[in-house]
Each structure stands twice: as structure tokens, then as C-alpha cells.
Amino acid sequence: MSHAPAKASSETRKQLFRVWRGDKTAGTFKDYTATVTPGMVVLDVIHQIQAEQANDLACRWNCKAGKCGSCSAEINGKPRLMCMTRMDELPTDMPVVVEPMKAFPLIKDLVTDVSWNYDVKKKIKPFKPRKPDAPDGTWRMDQADVDRVQEFRKCIECFLCQDVCHVLRDHHKHEEFIGPRFLVYTAALEMHPLDTEDRLADLRKSQGLGYCNITKCCTKVCPEHITITDNAIIPLKERVVDEYFDPVTKLFKMFKKKT
Amino acid sequence: MADFQTHEHDVIVIGAGGAGLRAAIEASAAGVSVGLICKSLLGKAHTVMAEGGMAAALAHNDERDSWKTHFADTMRGGQYLNNWRMAELHAKEAPDRARELEAWGAVFDRTKDGRINQRNFGGHRYPRLAHVGDRTGLEMIRTLQDHSVHRGMTIYMETTVTQIIKDGPNGRVIGAVGYDRPTGTLHYWKAKAIVLATGGIGKAYKITSNSWEYSGDGHAMAYNAGADLMDMEFVQFHPTGMVWPPSVRGILVTEGVRGEGGVLRNSQGKRFMFDDIPDNYKPSTADSEEEGWRYVLGDKSARRPPELLTRDHVARCINREVKAGRGSPHGGVFLDIAWIKTKLANGEEHIKKKLPSMYHQFITLAGVDITKEPMEVGPTTHYVMGGVKVDGDTQMSTVPGLFAAGEVAAGLHGANRLGGNSLSDLIVFGKRAGEYAAKFAKENGPIKTDQAAVDAALKQTLAPLDRSGGENPYQVQYALQDMMQDLVGIVRREDEMAKALDGLAQLKARAAKASASASREYNPGWHTAIDLANLLTVSEAITRSAIERKESRGAQFREDFPNKSEEFGTFNHVVRKGPDGQMQVIRQPLTPLRDDLKQVIEENKNV
Ligand SMILES: Cc1cc2nc3c(=O)[nH]c(=O)nc-3n(C[C@H](O)[C@H](O)[C@H](O)COP(=O)(O)OP(=O)(O)OC[C@H]3O[C@@H](n4cnc5c(N)ncnc54)[C@H](O)[C@@H]3O)c2cc1C
Ligand code: SF4
Ligand code: SF4
Ligand code: FES
């Protein structure tokens, strides 16, 4: 039985890295030669460069195990977590290119200003539970009824889906569209068995649900494998349609308003 | 004089993990103004990495559980050096704090009758850990984070506090200084009370499950402010960290793997944990593989498999197997969960459902499919039981107005922490710290700024940038980590630790000269140079306390004193900055245990 990582070469080798260096005002790619040993991930190389060649190279990280969502970057053009990208899955015959996320303003090197995401979340109506089910103030929920919500709650807030979504990345609709991360967040609240709040009006009016044209790019980059489009966004779209455009619902709402 | 921005709050909370967030929520609820400061982005603190679960005697999976058994388990795990008042409050209040998370939107795994599901963990008599697969910490931090942002506090993200300011050597706290990472701007927070919730010290060691944040800042800042630290010799080495490939060495493999039936084997395929069961755990430990498996399945007449003995013990057994040449190819032992497929028809799905992030972590980082092959694991530096000495009820340190909660505080866990007792610690004592800090702020009126002290602290913060041509701070940090790993690690000896003290003095001199290149904007070299001073302080506290404890107990294993000594079971070690600036280690006798609690321990001896 072999315990060596799949595809791992057993040798130490040199690899050229091309890393974005710069801040708000100016920047350029800089080349570094790294020493790569078996099993290394891109974040290890960035740390090596930082410790040996460029003490001031800025990057974010915490867990080094795909759990915190800090180390998001674009590696050879793809939005990924640096700590979960193995060196032995990248081509060796060309430089490994590491750049910051593009959908957010640059702070320095690989670090971007993601504060917009925190502002967006604050505007989404918080969790509002129904009255407790039991006299001791607790609730009952079946596992089957929370499975879907648990899928959404796996989100590590890496914002890679925000980075890849063309509505934000290319069209800069940050004022009008909350992006896939917060559609997942809203879906988690809306589908929470205990929640009683209504967020559909906001989704339609101020949060730009309509901007999403279901390209599924977000789902493809999600490191937590959350089925963002199929499980979160499409059901939200359906709910909005049912609520606002379905004639029966509309009639019912009018009726309710009058009484 | 350096330029800086001034902010004013009644209470500042330093740290936004579970403890800090819970404290900030509570202080806000008490109607005071709160500033919450953290080194990383919100939601990225260590708490997010916690996997296995949160201990609370909800008694959902076994109605025999109660706060009393939880209390007794915690005291036994801590080898009776615990602050028993904290152990009592923790066991009593954890269930309410867990239910409160549910009311704030947390979605725990469910029992068949729709309540919060609980799993087995080392040292806990009954299934006690509320969990969400193996990402419980994420659930906790996200719930608290999402709750807190609607509570009107001011949040300072990516901002590091470097020093606490008092109104004179014996005075109360009046604020703190620090810098923000993106721009390098200096800050001064005026505050009537401060809650430290800065977490641990794992970056003092080379092999660790901890991130760059764990440089012992809170420990060092409290010590420098004149507060007592306690139990610093007790550093938890978690038995199961990854050992291969080298770049992931130390990353945690949750104890939940063993809770779900994972077993430890040596290179001969033997379940070596059956060979060495400590006497005080014999009555509650299975004596056959068959009984152990029945326990995993929830058979109430069965006793725990020996893989679920306390962490200190399991870590030492693994160490022994490796040293005896019965280890795995890369210097660990085998942890096998795949074997449960021989017992469960849907074993593979069960593993993926209960341990999804372990599956993901191993397949991606090590190329190992844990549903098919065993993992290679070995001890990793994980947690520090020692920390700021606090009052059990209020969490106030020996410095008026300075509170501490979570991993940075000492007391609850004694000589060894039980798995799952940290997440519950955070919310029980985070809440208390927030409550009492707010009360202190209300009762202890206005403060004035000590400008000279602020200026001196800011100057010190900038020092690595003002120096040039000094050593690379990363290299000094690596040297420290190597040395602590080798000389003050899992197996300790007087002569080696004496060598470590000499080494620390030399490293201090090197650190004082370490320099960072000139830019203040997001400059990790500068940040590392500042963190180094804290790491050196906590390393010295660990080493000095470990030398003085001439016995083996809990997480401290002394090769030269391999047995427990009755005498050493009567006091904690307190570390204090002496009048001459030298570090002192003082024996602090234990407070006699209350009679009713004595009774509780007695009643639970043999269950
Ligand atoms: C991989 C892993 C798995 C674990 N699994 C479990 C488990 O299953 N069950 C369990 O009970 N425990 C577990 N633990 C332990 C537990 O997660 C931690 O002990 C706990 O989360 C610590 O919480 P805290 O609130 O004290 O600190 P943290 O969550 O670490 O937060 C510390 C905060 O302080 C901030 N900070 C630090 N220094 C400064 C400074 N100078 N200035 C400003 N801010 C600062 C940080 O930025 C951070 O926000 C695990 C730990 C790890 C590493
Ligand atoms: S599916 Fe929608 S949210 Fe996702 S990337 Fe495409 S447009 Fe954006
Ligand atoms: S949904 Fe996925 S990609 Fe988007 S922030 Fe969450 S974890 Fe990252
Ligand atoms: S460092 Fe946490 S996800 Fe990469």
C-alpha cells in the first residue's frame, strides 16, 4: 500500500513563479525561483518566497487546509485556494502565475479589499426563528429537512464565486447585485426550517437576483462544492416568480391586502 | 511622536473567534459601546477550523448524562489542577449556550427525534459533542459573526493590538495600541475595560495545527501589563496530526475520526492502545475490540474503546510506538476508519457524511482516500491549557479592567483539555467576560490618556521598521520553532530545557535586532518581527514552568520524572513579571474543592 500522494514526484525540483507585486497605484509581475518538494501546495511556495526572498510579499492565509477561505487568488488564471492547489497538478514547463482576485480592489500583492462583501451581508435581513416547538424553548428539526441548508452553510466565504461571476467581475454591478455568495447565504436563511422572515422582495428589487443568467461559473469554482446555481439560485428565482408573477399568488396577495 | 488615530469605546474586545464574538455580543447587549478587533478578516479566526464538536451535557443521546458527569470528566481530564469553579460553571451553562446558538440560526446535525445530535469524544463518558459533520467551528463562528454584525458594535478587521495601556504600574487598564495591516496606520483605543480573546501560542512550535495568528499575543500583552499567567507548562500535543507530505505536517485530523470508530494501529497491524490503559480509566474503558465497536454503535452497556482515552495519553502512546520502530513509513502510526466498512453496509457513505472535510483534506493534500486506506498520523502542537489567570465567575485577570476568555485564559482545563471542551469554553466564558467587562466599564468612570505611555508603545511597534540591516525575522522565528520542538516538546528533560533557556536568551538578542523593509503597507515581515517578541515571551513562560514542575501530569511528560507526584498536585504555577523585569514562576496553592463538588467527583469515579 502506498502512502505517497498521487502523482507526486519524489524529487526536489526548481519551479519558476510569476507573482503579482504592487499596490493600488502601480504593479508588475515579478519572477521568483522556488524549490518544490513532494506534496507542496502553491501557498507553501508563496510562504517560501516570503521567508527567503521577499519578506514584504503580502498574502492572506490561516488554516492551510481549505477551511477558512483566506487564501483565495488566481493561479494560472483560475480562481482557487492557494492552500488546496497542489504543485504536482500544475504544468511544470511554464511559470506558475499567481495574481490577486480581480473582482475586488487591490490592497497589495495578493491581498484585495473584500470589505464590500461584509457590507452586503449586513444588508440581508437576519435569521428570525418561529416560536420554539417545545416548552423548554427548543425546536425539533429532521435531518432530512436541514441537509440542504447544511450544504449552503459549508460556505467558507472565500469569495471565489464572487470573483468569477461576470456580473461583478466584468460589469461591476456591485451596487445592484449581491453575487452568488450572498444568494447562497440568503437561500440558507430562506430554506432554514425555523426562519420566518421574507427576503424575496429585497432579492428582486435591491439585490439583483435577475442579473444572474445561470452561467454556473460560480458553482465550478466553489472549493466547498456547493451547487450554488442549481440548489440555491434557481430555487430562489422560482420562489420569486411564484410570489410575484404567478397569477394565483398575485390574486391571493391582493385579496390579503384588502382584508 | 508617531501619528495615530484615536478611538473610544467602553469595552474593547481583542480577538474575534468564538470567545471574542460571544463577549462582544454580550457587552453590546448590556448597552455599552463595543469595539471588536482582530488580526484576520472576520470569520477566519481559529474557531473556524474546529472540527469535531462542542461539549455540552444536553443528554440527547444518552439520558444518563448531566452537568455533574461533565464536570467530573473535565476535572479528571485536567488531573484536578483545574479551576473547579470554572469547570462547574462550564458544565452547568454549556447546554444553554449551545441552545442559544440554535436560536441564532446554527444548524447542528440532528438526532432521530429532531434534536441536536451528540457524538463520542475522548475523555467524555457519554456522547456529548454537539456537531455539524466535521465543521462545527465554522458553524459556531458564522452563527456568532452573523449575529454580531447586527448588534451595533464597531469592528476593526485585520488590525493587530500590540500593547495594553494602564494608568500607572498598579492601575487599571485605560486602552490599547496597535496597527492595521492594510495601511500600517497606528491606532489608540481608549477603553474602560478590555477583553482578551486572542487564542493560543502554537506558532512557538514547528509542528502545529495552528496558524500564523497563534503567536501568543494576548498571553504576552497580559504578562507585560503585569497580569499573572498560569499553567503555562501545559501545552496540548494532539495525538493525530497529518505527517505526510512534509508541507502539511501538523495539520489536524479530528478526534471525530476515532469517535466514529477509527482505530489506531502500528506497523504490525496491532491496536496498541489496548496495551496501556491508565488505572483511573480502566473501569470505563473497553477490554476487547468487540466491546469498543459496540460503544461506537451506541450500546449503553459498552465501554469506550481505548483510542478515546485522553489526548495526552494517546499522544504519548503514539510517540512510544514510533520510537520503538513500530511506526508508519513517515514516522507516524496508522489511523484507520475504512475498516468500519466491514461492519457497516453503507460504511463509505457514512464516512463521507460524518467526516466530509477529513475526506476532502486527505484526498486533496495527501492523495489518500480515507474510505479505502488508513491515514498516517502523529502528534502535533494544538492547544495551550495555560494562559491568563482569571476569576472563575467574572473572567477578570489580576489587572483591574483586564478580562480574558477562551484559549488565552487558563483554569478550565487544568493539566489537559478534553476535546470539545474548548468550543463550549468559548461561549460560556466569552459571555461571562463580556457581561462583567461591561459592568466594570459602567462602574468605573472616565479615564484619561497617559500620552507618554501611548507614545512609548507606538514607538516600540514601529521599531522593526526603523531598524535596518538586521536579521530576517522569519529566520529567527524558524530557529525558535525548531528549538522549542526539540527541547520543550512532548517529552521533556531538565538538561534540554536548561539549554532551551540559553537558546531563548540568544534568540531574544537576535529578535531585538531583526528588521523589516521600510514599507508599512501590508508588510508581513514587519508583522512577523512584532509577533516574535510575543512568541519569545510565551516560550520562556512555558519552559520555565515546565522546568519547575518536576513530575509528569497531563500534558507535561518529564522523562526525568516519569511519575505523578502528590506534592505537585497541590498547586498551579503562576508566571509573573518581577519588579526587575525578570520572569518569576510562583507556586499558587489550589483553592480547596467545595464539599458538594467533591461528592460529585466521588459519585462519578467508577462510571
Ligand atoms: C484544527 C483545529 C481543530 C479544533 N477542533 C476543535 C473541536 O473540535 N472542538 C473544540 O472544542 N476545540 C477544537 N479546537 C480548539 C478550538 O478551536 C480553539 O481553542 C478555539 O477556537 C479558540 O477560540 P478563541 O475564541 O479563544 O480564539 P480564536 O478563535 O483563535 O480567535 C483568536 C482571535 O484573536 C485575534 N487576535 C490574536 N492576537 C491578536 C492581536 N494581537 N490583536 C488583535 N487580534 C488578535 C485573532 O485574529 C482571532 O480573531 C480546534 C483547534 C484547531 C486548530
Ligand atoms: S450562475 Fe449567476 S451568480 Fe453564478 S457566476 Fe453565473 S451569473 Fe454569476
Ligand atoms: S459559495 Fe463557495 S465559492 Fe462562494 S464564497 Fe462560499 S465557499 Fe467560496
Ligand atoms: S488558508 Fe484557509 S482556506 Fe487556504
Side-chain angles (χ1 to χ4, degrees):
Chain A
M1 183 166 22
S2 156
H3 289 274
K7 294 178 287 174
S9 89
S10 57
E11 276 157 40
T12 299
R13 62 182 172 87
K14 297 282 177 203
Q15 170 70 49
L16 189 63
F17 261 68
R18 192 154 286 169
V19 183
W20 179 261
R21 299 298 313 268
D23 57 20
K24 274 184 270 247
T25 52
T28 174
F29 281 107
K30 275 191 91 165
D31 285 357
Y32 300 93
T33 304
T35 309
V36 176
T37 55
M40 264 169 92
V41 293
V42 169
L43 183 63
D44 292 322
V45 175
I46 295 297
H47 281 158
Q48 190 189 87
I49 294 170
Q50 198 181 47
E52 293 170 5
Q53 305 179 51
N55 281 181
D56 63 343
L57 168 59
C59 75
R60 287 194 180 107
W61 72 282
N62 283 77
C63 68
K64 224 175 147 316
K67 295 189 169 75
C68 73
S70 303
C71 64
S72 307
E74 298 188 6
I75 301 164
N76 289 347
K78 289 208 186 73
R80 305 187 65 167
L81 297 177
M82 291 193 283
C83 71
M84 294 303 268
T85 306
R86 291 261 303 258
M87 285 305 298
D88 53 22
E89 56 175 283
L90 300 174
T92 51
D93 53 355
M94 53 186 249
V96 174
V97 181
V98 189
E99 315 165 66
M101 289 191 285
K102 300 283 165 46
F104 309 112
L106 185 66
I107 292 178
K108 190 182 151 199
D109 304 337
L110 302 177
V111 174
T112 54
D113 178 359
V114 292
S115 56
W116 169 78
N117 291 285
Y118 290 87
D119 297 338
V120 167
K121 191 191 245 182
K122 224 173 154 170
K123 290 187 201 132
I124 297 169
K125 286 184 189 152
F127 176 65
K128 195 167 125 195
R130 69 174 183 233
K131 279 216 189 80
D133 302 335
D136 65 352
T138 60
W139 290 270
R140 301 289 176 268
M141 289 184 270
D142 274 345
Q143 184 61 46
D145 296 332
V146 300
D147 277 344
R148 176 53 41 82
V149 177
Q150 286 189 329
E151 178 195 357
F152 301 151
R153 293 182 68 88
K154 285 194 308 192
C155 170
I156 56 174
E157 301 200 328
C158 64
F159 307 130
L160 287 171
C161 56
Q162 308 285 71
D163 184 43
V164 82
C165 176
H166 67 103
V167 183
L168 299 171
R169 187 186 180 97
D170 302 327
H171 306 294
H172 311 289
K173 297 283 183 200
H174 295 73
E175 290 299 315
E176 295 142 77
F177 180 54
I178 59 176
R181 158 58 191 139
F182 295 105
L183 294 174
V184 168
Y185 178 69
T186 306
L189 290 164
E190 285 288 306
M191 296 180 203
H192 194 305
L194 306 184
D195 185 72
T196 57
E197 189 59 87
D198 184 356
R199 301 172 188 81
L200 296 182
D202 289 350
L203 274 176
R204 195 169 79 94
K205 291 195 194 114
S206 56
Q207 297 174 348
L209 180 61
Y211 278 110
C212 165
N213 56 347
I214 322 204
T215 59
K216 302 201 183 187
C217 311
C218 50
T219 304
K220 277 181 214 133
V221 299
C222 177
E224 284 293 311
H225 306 292
I226 300 170
T227 331
I228 303 175
T229 357
D230 290 5
N231 287 352
I233 298 180
I234 294 175
L236 285 180
K237 280 180 180 267
E238 284 167 356
R239 285 182 184 208
V240 167
V241 168
D242 287 350
E243 172 94 1
Y244 289 94
F245 307 106
D246 176 37
V248 179
T249 319
K250 227 176 184 171
L251 209 72
F252 180 71
K253 281 189 92 160
M254 275 164 59
F255 179 72
K256 243 175 74 174
K257 238 177 243 160
K258 275 179 202 145
T259 55
Chain B
M1 192 184 81
D3 274 348
F4 62 93
Q5 290 178 10
T6 305
H7 316 273
E8 196 163 347
H9 297 283
D10 293 316
V11 174
I12 58 171
V13 178
I14 308 174
L21 285 164
R22 190 64 191 81
I25 290 169
E26 198 64 18
S28 282
V32 301
S33 82
V34 176
L36 176 64
I37 311 167
C38 56
K39 289 209 278 194
S40 289
L41 295 169
L42 199 57
K44 312 294 182 194
H46 254 79
T47 300
V48 80
M49 298 172 219
E51 296 163 356
M54 169 174 67
L58 295 159
H60 288 173
N61 295 55
D62 194 320
E63 64 287 352
R64 290 172 299 178
D65 201 9
S66 70
W67 77 264
K68 291 181 175 172
T69 319
H70 192 184
F71 167 78
D73 286 351
T74 302
M75 293 295 291
R76 173 161 52 183
Q79 306 263 353
Y80 304 101
L81 288 188
N82 322 52
N83 174 332
W84 49 261
R85 177 64 178 155
M86 285 173 78
E88 178 195 9
L89 290 171
H90 170 252
K92 284 182 172 163
E93 293 176 5
D96 278 345
R97 296 286 82 76
R99 286 190 278 262
E100 181 175 75
L101 288 180
E102 184 155 281
W104 293 347
V107 184
F108 292 102
D109 286 356
R110 317 307 298 174
T111 57
K112 286 210 175 67
D113 65 354
R115 298 184 295 169
I116 296 173
N117 195 7
Q118 300 185 268
R119 70 156 46 117
N120 291 315
F121 238 57
H124 293 282
R125 177 67 187 99
Y126 302 113
R128 192 176 281 146
L129 268 69
H131 62 276
V132 186
D134 53 5
R135 54 162 194 85
T136 313
L138 171 64
E139 192 66 21
M140 172 181 279
I141 202 166
R142 202 66 84 228
T143 302
L144 292 172
Q145 170 191 345
D146 295 349
H147 191 75
S148 67
V149 297
H150 297 285
R151 292 287 162 304
M153 59 190 78
T154 310
I155 299 174
Y156 305 85
M157 294 202 287
E158 297 203 297
T159 301
T160 305
V161 178
T162 55
Q163 212 166 305
I164 288 163
I165 311 288
K166 299 198 301 180
D167 66 351
N170 297 314
R172 62 181 278 206
V173 300
I174 54 171
V177 302
Y179 62 92
D180 70 70
R181 295 160 60 81
T183 66
T185 307
L186 300 176
H187 298 262
Y188 171 54
W189 294 268
K190 279 177 85 167
K192 294 177 190 154
I194 297 178
V195 179
L196 286 172
T198 50
I201 58 93
K203 272 291 154 190
Y205 290 83
K206 183 176 168 194
I207 300 173
T208 176
S209 64
N210 296 171
S211 84
W212 67 271
E213 289 202 316
Y214 269 22
S215 46
D217 297 5
H219 292 77
M221 287 192 284
Y223 169 80
N224 288 328
D228 284 353
L229 305 182
M230 190 173 89
D231 291 339
M232 289 302 290
E233 63 271 43
F234 298 116
V235 175
Q236 180 165 74
F237 299 91
H238 192 291
T240 60
M242 292 177 83
V243 297
W244 180 260
S247 67
V248 301
R249 187 155 198 150
I251 292 181
L252 194 76
V253 181
T254 175
E255 192 166 316
V257 175
R258 284 169 282 145
E260 297 295 340
V263 298
L264 291 166
R265 292 186 206 280
N266 62 20
S267 59
Q268 299 158 356
K270 178 153 200 250
R271 274 179 76 178
F272 55 87
M273 288 306 302
F274 277 105
D275 298 347
D276 183 358
I277 299 167
D279 284 341
N280 59 339
Y281 281 98
K282 276 207 172 113
S284 55
T285 306
D287 50 22
S288 72
E289 299 195 9
E290 179 271 334
E291 183 182 1
W293 175 246
R294 278 195 286 117
Y295 178 86
V296 172
L297 290 179
D299 179 342
K300 290 182 184 162
S301 67
R303 294 166 301 170
R304 269 183 298 231
E307 276 86 0
L308 291 178
L309 286 163
T310 54
R311 289 177 175 176
D312 51 339
H313 182 72
V314 180
R316 274 195 299 277
C317 289
I318 293 177
N319 215 41
R320 184 196 60 213
E321 291 303 304
V322 175
K323 278 201 171 151
R326 296 188 292 269
S328 66
H330 302 101
V333 294
F334 296 108
L335 172 60
D336 186 8
I337 182 78
W339 84 282
I340 68 169
K341 287 190 299 183
T342 63
K343 299 274 186 185
L344 292 179
N346 63 342
E348 184 165 334
E349 281 139 61
H350 183 79
I351 295 168
K352 286 188 191 165
K353 167 93 195 163
K354 281 300 187 182
L355 304 163
S357 78
M358 283 302 107
Y359 174 76
H360 190 51
Q361 180 175 315
F362 270 89
I363 206 100
T364 310
L365 297 175
V368 167
D369 179 347
I370 67 168
T371 67
K372 301 206 164 60
E373 356 165 27
M375 300 157 247
E376 271 189 87
V377 296
T380 180
T381 313
H382 184 55
Y383 185 90
V384 62
M385 274 66 75
V388 180
K389 180 170 174 281
V390 291
D391 171 71
D393 285 84
T394 65
Q395 299 293 110
M396 190 159 89
S397 71
T398 51
V399 170
L402 182 63
F403 297 75
E407 191 167 338
V408 69
L412 172 60
H413 311 293
N416 174 53
R417 173 179 73 96
L418 299 185
N421 267 1
S422 171
L423 290 184
S424 41
D425 171 7
L426 309 183
I427 44 179
V428 168
F429 294 106
K431 175 183 184 291
R432 283 185 166 265
E435 179 183 337
Y436 287 96
K439 187 161 178 277
F440 185 95
K442 284 181 187 167
E443 288 168 0
N444 292 275
I447 43 174
K448 57 175 188 348
T449 299
D450 179 346
Q451 196 56 51
V454 172
D455 288 342
L458 292 171
K459 192 159 172 243
Q460 215 170 330
T461 304
L462 291 177
L465 289 170
D466 295 340
R467 291 191 284 265
S468 63
E471 199 175 353
N472 174 344
Y474 285 93
Q475 298 311 321
V476 186
Q477 193 195 53
Y478 291 161
L480 171 69
Q481 291 164 339
D482 281 336
M483 188 191 81
M484 289 299 287
Q485 188 78 36
D486 286 348
L487 302 180
V488 200
I490 188 164
V491 177
R492 297 169 175 175
R493 277 187 3 216
E494 187 104 17
D495 55 338
E496 290 186 344
M497 291 194 285
K499 237 164 79 189
L501 281 183
D502 291 341
L504 283 169
Q506 287 162 18
L507 287 166
K508 250 185 217 165
R510 283 169 66 184
K513 282 187 265 163
S515 62
S517 67
S519 161
R520 272 210 224 170
E521 275 174 34
Y522 222 112
N523 180 352
W526 174 34
H527 309 158
T528 303
I530 293 174
D531 295 349
L532 246 181
N534 299 329
L535 279 173
L536 285 161
T537 302
V538 294
S539 297
E540 184 179 345
I542 293 167
T543 310
R544 287 194 189 280
S545 304
I547 290 176
E548 291 306 319
R549 184 166 288 281
K550 299 184 197 308
E551 66 156 352
S552 295
R553 178 186 297 269
Q556 151 115 330
F557 185 72
R558 290 279 303 254
E559 207 171 46
D560 43 359
F561 297 98
N563 298 315
K564 205 151 57 180
S565 122
E566 211 164 298
E567 184 205 348
F568 279 88
T570 60
F571 58 84
N572 299 102
H573 276 140
V574 159
V575 171
R576 187 179 299 160
K577 197 177 205 164
D580 54 353
Q582 289 293 310
M583 189 178 280
Q584 302 174 340
V585 180
I586 299 150
R587 290 182 175 191
Q588 167 97 26
L590 297 178
T591 318
L593 191 60
R594 235 172 45 217
D595 283 342
D596 57 318
L597 295 177
K598 238 185 239 166
Q599 177 93 27
V600 169
I601 288 175
E602 206 45 49
E603 282 162 11
N604 281 278
K605 263 245 149 92
N606 290 317
V607 293

